[in-house]
Amino acid sequence: MFTLLFMDSASTHTYDEVRLSAAPRALATEAVHAGRDDLARQGLHAPPIDLSTTYPSYDSRAEAARIDAFATTGAEPEGPPVYGRLGNPTVARFETALARLEGTRSAVAFASGMAALSAVLLARASMGLRHVVAVRPLYGCSDHLLTAGLLGSEVTWTDPAGITDALRPDTGLVMVESPANPTLAEVDLRGVAHACGSVPLLVDNTFATPVLQRPAEQGARLVLHSATKYLGGHGDVLAGVVACDEEFAGRLRQIRFATGGVLHPLAGYLLLRGLSTLPVRVRAASAGAAELARRLAAHPGVTRVHYPRLGGAMIAFEVEGDPHEVVGGVRLITPAVSLGSVDTLIQHPASISHRIVDAEDRRGAGVSDRLLRLSVGLEDVEDLWADLDQALARSLVRAG
């Protein structure tokens, strides 16, 4: 973590010391203030954007010592920044804030969610722990990365009840996504964490966000986000982040430094800004999604609706007619991949987000060819329903 110094007339504190001494605050308060606690003392209101790639230093002996310390533990160098690939003050603010929201000691940000997952796999593989136990469904590219062994990993797919039996001496990670992409299937995270024993559990918390679920409180050691989605929240930033303990964060920083999957400072700024409205956005979109799920369940053009007990702004539903006609028939809703933005998006997972997964594996995980995924935004529910209703009616007419 980049250490910021700020002073008043009586004392000097590091930002980290003040952060750790602060009394617990509600999530909505943390979303607004975490990562920004020092701004007022510096005479600032909005967080600054530091675009520097390198930083001057006239003490090369001290620089050498700081680089040695980073190489040993992966801890962010104390004092001024060194180089953009080692860390950036703007990105560090986002990492601090996300860690606070997820209830972990640290967080490490990357250029995308897949870069973040890749760093986790590389970190475990560097310890000789290449085997992964995973539960389907996962996001399609996560599934592909594991199945194809592109980073030298080997995966055993199982259901939650089979996790313990699937563990091996070289198992470095257990991975689940709950609610899962795209079926919204949920798993008992506390039970899964118990089944993992000493093997770290990674939970992809992209769909739930810390507003609805904090996996670290249920035993997960690693919490993964495609920050592109709800954390950014406006469809204008690509990013990934892993919330974890400081020991694992150090390894992830070393991987990030070596592989170069760094997050751009402007993206870090946008993500920090996105976090400030995250609770409001997630709760408002979730209310709309719950109402749409209720109406979809009663629609003659829908055969099944998947909506998590946890709630949230994602809906999956299977249609009676041609799903491609539904996607092609919407007018207000945007037919596009991704999710978690302020506007509502719809897509056909079997054609796009999960196309890269083997068809048999895809269907076995509940991703049917008639399944559609809806990311509900902040539009008026009546307008969204009118659009869905006409698109579903159109698909029935075409099917008839």
Side-chain angles (χ1 to χ4, degrees), residues 2-308:
F2 172 63
T3 303
L4 297 170
L5 298 177
F6 54 88
M7 294 182 288
D8 57 27
S9 58
S11 62
T12 301
H13 304 284
T14 65
Y15 169 54
D16 203 36
E17 287 169 347
V18 172
R19 182 175 73 83
L20 291 175
S21 65
R25 302 185 295 199
L27 183 121
T29 303
E30 291 286 23
V32 172
H33 291 280
R36 305 167 180 82
D37 307 65
D38 63 314
L39 292 178
R41 291 176 181 262
Q42 297 187 61
L44 299 172
H45 185 238
I49 306 174
D50 188 332
L51 295 173
S52 297
T53 58
T54 192
Y55 300 85
S57 173
Y58 293 94
D59 188 347
S60 57
R61 292 184 182 87
E63 291 290 87
R66 294 203 296 156
I67 295 298
D68 286 346
F70 176 82
T72 302
T73 66
E76 289 191 300
E78 295 183 2
V82 178
Y83 182 58
R85 197 150 39 85
L86 270 167
N88 172 273
T90 306
V91 173
R93 289 181 180 276
F94 164 66
E95 292 172 330
T96 296
L98 193 276
R100 288 288 288 272
L101 292 181
E102 282 290 4
T104 61
R105 179 63 181 79
S106 301
V108 184
F110 295 85
S112 71
M114 291 309 301
L117 177 57
S118 296
V120 171
L121 295 175
L122 289 171
R124 299 306 282 165
S126 70
M127 303 172 65
L129 301 170
R130 297 180 177 277
H131 180 242
V132 178
V133 174
V135 176
R136 280 190 172 115
L138 297 176
Y139 168 54
C141 288
S142 299
D143 188 309
H144 176 67
L145 181 64
L146 294 175
T147 302
L150 297 176
L151 298 178
S153 59
E154 178 187 350
V155 63
T156 297
W157 296 101
T158 186
D159 58 24
I163 288 175
T164 299
D165 290 339
L167 299 177
R168 304 186 330 203
D170 64 338
T171 302
L173 191 71
V174 175
M175 181 173 181
V176 301
E177 184 174 358
S178 183
N181 186 354
T183 66
L184 305 175
E186 297 171 272
V187 299
D188 173 9
L189 296 183
R190 197 175 301 278
V192 168
H194 179 74
C196 292
S198 61
V199 177
L201 170 63
L202 181 149
V203 175
D204 187 329
N205 201 34
T206 298
F207 276 20
T209 81
V211 177
L212 301 178
Q213 172 177 271
R214 297 185 4 147
E217 294 178 348
Q218 301 180 59
R221 185 175 172 189
L222 308 170
V223 182
L224 173 70
H225 285 273
S226 171
T228 306
K229 313 306 193 294
Y230 288 104
L231 302 189
H234 293 77
D236 55 9
V237 58
L238 286 173
V241 64
V242 179
C244 55
D245 58 39
E246 177 55 28
E247 178 184 359
F248 202 89
R251 289 188 174 274
L252 291 178
R253 293 187 196 105
Q254 290 175 322
I255 296 293
R256 182 177 65 183
F257 174 71
T259 60
V262 296
L263 183 66
H264 192 275
L266 180 57
Y269 172 83
L270 291 172
L271 289 167
L272 185 63
R273 186 179 68 172
L275 289 185
S276 64
T277 61
L278 179 66
V280 175
R281 287 186 288 103
V282 168
R283 288 167 181 152
S286 297
E291 175 60 20
L292 290 175
R294 184 187 69 79
R295 297 187 189 188
L296 284 168
H299 197 284
V302 176
T303 58
R304 188 178 182 186
V305 174
H306 307 258
Y307 187 69

